[in-house]
Amino acid sequence: MTAAAHRGSVDGLGSSLPLGTMLPAVFADDDLAQRFVGGLDEVLAPILNVLDCLDTYFDPALTPADFAAWLGTWVGAETDGSEPEARLRAAVAAAVALHRIRGTRRGLAEAVRLAFGVVPDITESGGADWNARPLGPFPGAPRPRLHVTLRLLDPTAADAHRREALLAAARPAHMPYTVEVTAAERTPWR
C-alpha cells in the first residue's frame, strides 16, 4: 500500500444508521442539532459501511486490492507488492494451505507457481523406499541437494532478489539449493 492510499471519507456516502433519527424529540426540529449530527454521520458513514461489509474484507476475492496486500501480511503470503492483482489475491487465498506443506516439494512448487505464474522443475537428492533385506541400499543421494529450474517468459534482473527470497523461505530448511532460470519459448499465435 502506498503512502497516499488511505481509507477515509467517501463523498455522498450516506450513513446506514443516521444519528438525527435517534435524537430525542426535542431536537427533531432543531436545525443546529440536525446539522451537527449530520456532520458526525458523514464522518462515521465509512466506518459503518466497513463494519456492515466486514466479512468481505477477509475474503481475498472480494476485498479491495490495497487491503488484500495488507491481508497478505497477516497470513504470511509470499508476496512483494509487484505481482498483478489476480496473482496477489491467489497468493493470499492459498497462504494458509501453503503453510501446511511448507518445506516440501509440493509446497515449493506451489509457492513458485503463485509468485511467478509458472510450474518449476524441481530435482532433489532425497528419497523414500523400503527393502525386504536388512542393510539394503539407501534411496537418494548421500549429500542433500535441491535444484529448481524456472522457465520464465521474461527473466529479468528484478526477479533475482524475489526469486532468491522466495526459494530460501519455501525450501526445506536443511537443503542447499541452486536455481536455474531460462527463457520460455513463446508460442506464436495462429
Side-chain angles (χ1 to χ4, degrees):
M1 181 160 40
T2 63
H6 295 291
R7 304 237 171 257
S9 64
V10 179
D11 292 336
L13 180 65
S15 176
S16 60
L17 193 61
L19 296 174
T21 61
M22 292 186 266
L23 291 177
V26 72
F27 295 112
D29 292 331
D30 187 347
D31 185 50
L32 178 63
Q34 290 297 324
R35 285 186 296 142
F36 179 75
V37 295
L40 293 175
D41 282 339
E42 189 174 326
V43 171
L44 293 175
I47 297 169
L48 294 174
N49 188 38
V50 168
L51 291 175
D52 287 343
C53 304
L54 190 61
D55 58 327
T56 62
Y57 276 79
F58 298 106
D59 183 346
L62 301 175
T63 192
D66 61 331
F67 196 83
W70 194 43
L71 187 60
T73 64
W74 288 9
V75 295
E78 297 287 344
T79 60
D80 70 346
S82 65
E83 51 275 311
E85 185 178 331
R87 200 175 294 159
L88 168 71
R89 291 178 186 279
V92 173
V96 174
L98 274 178
H99 289 306
R100 284 189 225 126
I101 57 174
R102 188 179 195 120
T104 66
R105 181 183 188 137
R106 186 172 135 220
L108 177 60
E110 184 64 12
V112 170
R113 185 190 67 77
L114 286 168
F116 297 107
V118 297
V119 177
D121 293 328
I122 300 173
T123 55
E124 58 183 325
S125 60
D129 201 1
W130 71 278
N131 195 331
R133 292 181 306 126
L135 303 175
F138 289 109
R143 301 188 82 202
R145 178 183 55 79
L146 176 69
H147 182 75
V148 180
T149 303
L150 293 173
R151 287 177 179 67
L152 301 175
L153 286 177
D154 185 23
T156 62
D159 292 333
H161 176 71
R162 170 88 175 110
R163 185 176 57 242
E164 292 298 322
L166 177 74
L167 291 173
R171 71 180 166 91
H174 68 286
M175 304 259 315
Y177 68 96
T178 56
V179 182
E180 178 184 358
V181 178
T182 61
E185 293 182 21
R186 295 179 190 259
T187 305
W189 292 96
R190 294 176 197 228

